[in-house]
Amino acid sequence: MGHSIAVMNTKGGVGKSTVVMALAETLSAFHRKNVLVIDSDSQTSISTMLMATENWEEAERQGRTLVDYLVGTVLPEHGTVKATWHEYVISGVSDVEEARTVNLISCHMELTLFERMVSAERRERELRAAVRGLLSEAKRLYDIVLVDCPPGLSVLTEAWLREVDYLMPPLKPDYLAVRGFGVLKRFRQTQAEQGFADIIGVVINLKDGRIASEEQWHRRLAEDPENRVFQASIPRRAYIQRAADFDPETRTYMAKYPGDAGQAMRSLAQELLDRLAGAPLLRRQAGLAGATQAARAPLKPVPSAAGAPPPAQAAAVPRRPAPVPPAAATPTSSSARRPAPAHPSEAERPIELGAAGLSIVPKPQPKQG
């Protein structure tokens, strides 16, 4: 059974979509995790970070976004739902060569209109049931489900926060971001009777080490054990901001996430996996020395087995990859990166989305074991 995590803060501009993208690609490239990213923000930032704009537009034209699914499920009189939610999943996303197990349910800019209809017709109960059902099935097929939520507490965001396993709020270490997180914590405390996600940990993002006040805000957040602040904090770097621009030519993981910010992303991914596995939290030390020496050790992307297609394309269905033999030591080369997938039957062939070869996945089989 996988885990579901909502990435959300009531204050915008904290870099949450960049954190979702980097975590998904790191978990795929370094840990061979099958990751499903759900774009639940009408700004559609993570959708256009993970695939070319023309392919996202094609998904909209085909009616295969999160909004289309929810309209057909929650407001069936206003739309037509496909057979199952699996038909809304797009595989082959990400411009990172080694990240072949990142999947996406993209969003539509009309999400806010859908939410207004839900409120007007009092369908909040049906919306929450739809969210619960999607997450329940997705966790049987994917190792980690990341939900990119918008700032603010909308009706759909509240449904995610009540149905996911964990909440992971990214914060800039400044006054407004901390105030926004305080609003979210108060809402969680006062509205807990209907269920609410546990806080897996606060991610300090976009930190400028030259600004003393940011160090002070970081320290204040870390001193509160309820926040469970991750040891790894993400520094503000221009190359991480540029990483949000999708590259149609693809690039290696290390080219996209170089330097200390890239290392911090890898440390964050490892710490997240440790927490999901139930490892005890590292003690917070005064001075915020950062990640432990083990977390800082250099990591290498896990390559595919020699001669085999990348895991996300081998069968066009999400499944838990087989363990990688220790002998495999080099990343998949770009020349052999995307062999043509083999499909058992024509009925299972995915729907192509443009020249980039993205595909909407047919209904996957449950993970083995």
Side-chain angles (χ1 to χ4, degrees):
M1 182 68 72
H3 305 276
S4 57
I5 304 170
V7 181
M8 186 267 180
N9 191 0
T10 54
K11 170 66 173 66
V14 296
K16 65 177 180 56
S17 296
T18 303
V19 169
V20 170
M21 173 188 66
L23 267 180
E25 292 175 333
T26 303
L27 291 167
S28 174
F30 282 83
H31 303 281
R32 296 293 294 275
K33 298 297 183 183
N34 278 326
V35 182
L36 175 63
V37 175
I38 300 177
D39 188 353
S40 186
D41 189 343
S42 62
Q43 297 179 77
T44 69
S45 296
I46 192 65
S47 293
T48 53
M49 288 179 183
L50 287 175
M51 64 178 175
T53 303
E54 58 268 24
N55 290 313
W56 167 64
E57 292 174 343
E58 181 63 23
E60 279 194 327
R61 286 191 291 270
Q62 293 186 9
R64 294 182 179 270
T65 70
L66 176 67
V67 176
D68 297 297
Y69 172 72
L70 292 176
V71 169
T73 305
V74 181
L75 302 166
E77 65 274 23
H78 297 286
T80 303
V81 71
K82 308 294 189 293
T84 66
W85 65 268
H86 311 90
E87 298 189 29
Y88 297 82
V89 177
I90 304 172
S91 70
V93 299
S94 172
D95 57 5
V96 172
E97 291 185 353
E98 304 94 335
R100 296 296 89 211
T101 53
V102 179
N103 307 273
L104 172 71
I105 298 180
S106 64
C107 198
H108 195 294
M109 287 188 171
E110 294 183 357
L111 175 61
T112 53
L113 301 180
F114 162 76
E115 291 184 296
R116 289 175 63 89
M117 293 173 66
V118 169
S119 298
E121 301 190 19
R122 301 178 180 270
R123 301 288 182 88
E124 292 88 353
R125 186 186 300 271
E126 290 82 355
L127 176 61
R128 186 170 174 183
V131 165
R132 183 186 310 120
L134 192 162
L135 289 173
S136 177
E137 293 187 23
K139 289 192 298 179
R140 293 201 294 266
L141 301 170
Y142 298 94
D143 298 305
I144 295 178
V145 179
L146 296 173
V147 184
D148 186 22
C149 297
L153 289 164
S154 68
V155 61
L156 178 56
T157 297
E158 181 178 348
W160 291 121
L161 292 176
R162 295 195 184 282
E163 295 299 335
V164 296
D165 300 318
Y166 301 107
L167 166 64
M168 188 170 70
L171 272 75
K172 288 173 60 180
D174 64 19
Y175 172 74
L176 290 178
V178 174
R179 282 289 302 271
F181 180 49
V183 171
L184 181 58
K185 289 175 68 175
R186 285 194 296 275
F187 179 78
R188 180 174 180 267
Q189 292 165 357
T190 59
Q191 304 292 325
E193 69 279 356
Q194 297 182 47
F196 212 94
D198 294 325
I199 297 177
I200 190 68
V202 168
V203 178
I204 301 299
N205 191 34
L206 299 171
K207 181 179 179 181
D208 191 333
R210 301 168 298 179
I211 301 177
S213 63
E214 293 200 355
E215 189 68 34
Q216 294 168 2
W217 282 113
H218 188 168
R219 188 185 305 277
R220 285 184 58 178
L221 287 163
E223 287 172 350
D224 184 348
E226 183 183 355
N227 296 336
R228 305 183 68 188
V229 175
F230 284 96
Q231 293 281 72
S233 60
I234 314 301
R236 180 193 297 272
R237 297 291 182 266
Y239 56 82
I240 292 296
Q241 305 311 306
R242 291 193 297 270
D245 298 328
F246 182 84
D247 187 347
E249 300 300 321
T250 73
R251 46 190 160 175
T252 65
Y253 178 93
M254 297 307 294
K256 187 170 183 176
Y257 301 108
D260 57 346
Q263 180 59 54
M265 289 291 186
R266 296 188 287 279
S267 297
L268 175 63
Q270 182 61 64
E271 192 174 356
L272 173 63
L273 291 177
D274 290 344
R275 294 188 182 195
L276 292 175
L281 290 176
L282 298 174
R283 292 182 179 273
R284 302 293 181 267
Q285 300 293 333
L288 299 173
T292 61
Q293 199 64 28
R296 290 185 181 276
L299 299 173
K300 294 182 180 180
V302 179
S304 301
Q313 296 293 325
V317 293
R319 64 184 68 223
R320 189 182 297 276
V324 179
T330 57
T332 306
S333 66
S334 59
S335 61
R337 190 176 51 82
R338 287 187 180 176
H343 299 283
S345 68
E346 187 66 28
E348 293 182 347
R349 190 173 302 279
I351 298 173
E352 296 298 326
L353 288 183
L358 300 179
S359 57
I360 294 178
V361 182
K363 183 177 180 179
Q365 299 301 315
K367 295 188 295 185
Q368 300 298 317

